[in-house]
Amino acid sequence: MTAVTASKTSGTVEDLRSPRAAAWKNAAEVKLPLQPTPLDAQPSAYVQKAWANRERGNVPSVAVRALSVGDQLVLRLEWAAPDPRRLINDNDVYADACAVIFPSNGKDAELSTMGSPERPVTTWYWRAGAPGPFLATATGLGTVSRAAKHGLQATGEWQAGFWNVVIAGPAKSTRIGVAVWSGVSGERAGLKSHTPAWHDLKVG
Amino acid sequence: MAKKAAPSRRQLAMVFDLNKCLGCQTCSLACKTAWTTRAGMEHQWWNIVNTFPGRGTPRDVFTHGGGYTKKGEPIPGDFPGKRLWGEAWDFDYEGVFGSNRDEPIPLHPREHDGAAPQWGPNWDEDMGGGEYPNSYFFYLQQICMNCSEPACVEACPRESVYKREEDGIVLIDEERCHGYRFCAEACPYKRIYFNEQRNVAQKCISCFPRLEAGVAPACIRQCPGRVRHIDYLDNVDGHIYKLVKKWKVALPLRPDFGVEPNVYYVPPTSPLAFKDNGEFDDLNSRIPMEYLKEMFGPGVEQALATIEAEREKVAAGKKSELMDILISRNWNDLLGPFTVDPAQLQRQPVR
């Protein structure tokens, strides 16, 4: 399984906020393959039925670069979105989004169930057009609970068919997962492309 | 049956008498001013009254899926875009106020991008169905049905939509809601709105803070036509039980949706149809029975016959419990246990 390595870098998170910041050019890029989340695990019979014949989870991969600044882990996620949805501006419009996920204990948790009461997961969630990122924890499917204070920073830019999102926060974890939601496909909640297993996270 | 909502201990229910509604929209305004004036709610009409036969709100309201099949399978639905509901229009006041007699500019509604609206609440008002002289229509009031098998509750993967144990009211917990909108797709009556600014689903709350203070919901209390009754369904002495269970003249709307709604309707009676030769058609009313069966289920024929028979009784000078309930000479009788006058309550400071 491909590992994500965050090299230590000098400077501040602010220097890395732009996906086009010079420091990103030298950061190693790993491509993590994504898969659709299993439909039969969705915690709603309605969702399972309504999505049985709908296209979903078709973002094939996400390119991840990682840097570490002090106690901050800074990630740059890049994925293809030929027809972006930048804003929720109607009843039937869903915005593109991404999230990174960690075992809350830094070591292990069940990824396919979004954690369990004994071993929760922590996620950093970014959505196009939203006022800011969310920090959330989950103890199972459908239990994502957003924290009132998050200490995260995020910037997203869409250019020439790709989203580039930089998201930064304090992280002490040895494993990481990624998820991407395609707005044009109506993806939200558990309907997404995701890394089906943890990837090792090495902070240099 | 795919369901999540546990049956409530009691069920609050309502009966709307379609023969008394005058289409004045006082209920719509009572609700609007009470609940949907805040940011992102401008387009929301938790209570809405449309002319039927008609296309409803959103446009073609009963064709957007949701609910359950006879076998209890969820039916995929859609959540129509806001132009099919009607936005909170702006109006060209400047043009109107600046126009003169030679070049008058009529008042025009405008959508957010300046486009002319193509649909809105009660858009096809009073158009109805049938051909003269057999044309007909009635007004259909819609709010959240507080269903016993609420498809919205099942559809939400976060359990943000729930049915209250104490009275069966269905509510959305806005703290939990992440704006996924599966609930709005799953509701066959299309009574859930989306607040874009806050990214949450919102809908009729049955005025639960009023109910908890003993006050009837605003749409019910303010109805000038005395159309609406409210009570617990299990109160055998109350109007709802008598109209729904005893007299069986109040029927669910579109029972084929499979969600067991708890707003019931007294179906519209209509005069006899005219035959081609101008004589009365003794066998048919103006509103076709097939249409009424589609709207209110197979019980509608007997319900109308019962109403007709009880009317005859009163016309012959006899007493009728059913007619007394439907007329409700004492206004408070409509309100079940919720007769507290809100003007007598101490107002809580607005948060």
Side-chain angles (χ1 to χ4, degrees), chain B residues 142-204:
Chain B
Q142 285 186 265
I143 59 175
C144 174
M145 302 283 202
N146 293 316
C147 301
S148 292
E149 297 289 356
C152 55
V153 172
E154 196 291 322
C156 181
R158 294 184 50 75
E159 298 180 18
S160 310
V161 195
Y162 63 100
K163 189 168 175 66
R164 292 214 302 195
E165 204 252 336
E166 64 268 38
D167 54 14
I169 290 175
V170 174
L171 294 172
I172 298 172
D173 180 345
E174 292 185 7
E175 301 285 321
R176 286 195 61 77
C177 178
H178 280 183
Y180 297 148
R181 294 162 266 169
F182 296 118
C183 56
E185 291 181 5
C187 173
Y189 300 105
K190 293 293 167 265
R191 282 292 83 219
I192 299 180
Y193 287 86
F194 179 56
N195 184 325
E196 253 171 60
Q197 295 196 23
R198 295 187 44 224
N199 196 39
V200 290
Q202 295 178 315
K203 67 166 196 71
C204 162

Side-chain angles (χ1 to χ4, degrees), chain A residues 120-138:
Chain A
V121 292
T122 299
T123 86
W124 301 351
Y125 175 84
W126 171 90
R127 189 180 71 230
F134 295 106
L135 170 71
T137 55

Side-chain angles (χ1 to χ4, degrees), chain A residues 43-47 49-51 54 88-95 127 141-146 188-189 191, chain B residues 2 4 73-77 79-82 85 154-158 176 178 180-182 185-186 194 196 199:
Chain A
S44 147
Y46 173 81
V47 174
K49 185 79 181 177
W51 284 76
R54 280 186 68 172
I88 297 172
N89 59 3
D90 208 339
N91 293 335
D92 49 0
V93 173
Y94 302 90
R127 189 180 71 230
L141 295 174
T143 67
V144 170
S145 172
R146 291 172 183 165
R188 70 272 201 198
L191 303 162
Chain B
K4 268 188 199 161
E73 296 273 333
I75 299 172
F79 188 16
K82 56 191 174 189
W85 299 73
E154 196 291 322
C156 181
R158 294 184 50 75
R176 286 195 61 77
H178 280 183
Y180 297 148
R181 294 162 266 169
F182 296 118
E185 291 181 5
F194 179 56
E196 253 171 60
N199 196 39

